[in-house]
């Protein structure tokens, strides 16, 4: 109350600090877990891999001729591919958010270099945001 010297003045930053602590606690509670990332990988990242291999020419011409239904083949292996992506992913837990960095591919199969696929995903507030996707599509085919 004004004029009462026995009450200390409230610091104006205290309410801002309290709001920051509550927001941080809310974000920490909704930080998605690794199991949630695998579900995201099955949905979104496998679509990105399919696009790189089947649409953008990641397969050599001879393999495209041998595999005319590339997207159906990838779709049929969605869960297996999601498991591969999840097993090749590093999670950086920032408490209020997480960064998932994945790198898949690079092996040689029948004299063909499988394109290396990289992705960076931000997980925050129960959501996944694909930040970056890249692949080296400069391999030589047989």
């Amino acid at each position: 109350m004004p004029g009462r010297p026995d009450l200390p003045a409230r610091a104006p930053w205290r309410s801002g600090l309290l709001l920051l602590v509550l927001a941080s606690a809310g974000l920490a509670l909704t930080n998605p877990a690794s199991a949630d990332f695998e579900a995201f990988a099955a949905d979104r990242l496998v679509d990105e891999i399919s696009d790189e291999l089947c649409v953008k020419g990641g397969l050599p011409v001879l393999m495209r001729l041998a595999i005319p239904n590339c997207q159906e083949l990838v779709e049929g292996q969605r869960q297996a591919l999601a498991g591969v992506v999840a097993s090749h992913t590093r999670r950086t837990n920032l408490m209020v958010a997480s960064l998932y960095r994945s790198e898949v591919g690079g092996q040689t199969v029948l004299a063909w270099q499988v394109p290396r696929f990289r992705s960076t995903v931000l997980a925050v507030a129960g959501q996944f945001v694909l930040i970056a996707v890249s692949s080296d599509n400069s391999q030589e085919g047989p």
Side-chain angles (χ1 to χ4, degrees):
M1 294 178 89
R4 291 200 52 195
D6 58 336
L7 292 176
R10 288 185 101 164
W13 54 268
R14 286 175 69 184
S15 58
L17 181 62
L18 179 62
L19 182 62
L20 179 66
V21 167
L22 289 174
S24 297
L27 287 174
L29 288 173
T30 60
N31 187 3
S34 295
D36 299 324
F37 176 77
E38 191 165 340
F40 172 78
D43 288 339
R44 180 71 194 271
L45 294 181
V46 171
D47 288 342
E48 294 290 333
I49 291 171
S50 174
D51 190 45
E52 287 290 328
L53 285 177
C54 304
V55 177
K56 294 183 179 176
L59 290 175
V61 176
L62 290 176
M63 289 189 93
R64 279 186 289 213
L65 291 173
I67 307 171
N69 57 349
C70 178
Q71 289 179 315
E72 291 174 23
L73 183 65
V74 172
E75 181 64 36
Q77 299 301 313
R78 183 170 288 276
Q79 288 305 109
L81 286 172
V84 169
V85 170
S87 69
H88 288 85
T89 297
R90 286 180 297 131
R91 177 184 185 201
T92 304
N93 188 351
L94 306 170
M95 300 306 286
V96 296
S98 293
L99 275 177
Y100 291 88
R101 291 185 179 95
S102 305
E103 187 170 322
V104 178
Q107 301 86 356
T108 301
V109 177
L110 299 174
W112 169 64
Q113 178 80 28
V114 176
R116 188 174 306 279
F117 174 82
R118 295 175 193 86
S119 68
T120 303
V121 175
L122 174 68
V124 63
Q127 302 295 313
F128 291 94
V129 179
L130 190 57
I131 295 175
V133 176
S134 67
S135 81
D136 17 289
N137 237 351
S138 59
Q139 73 282 10
E140 296 294 323

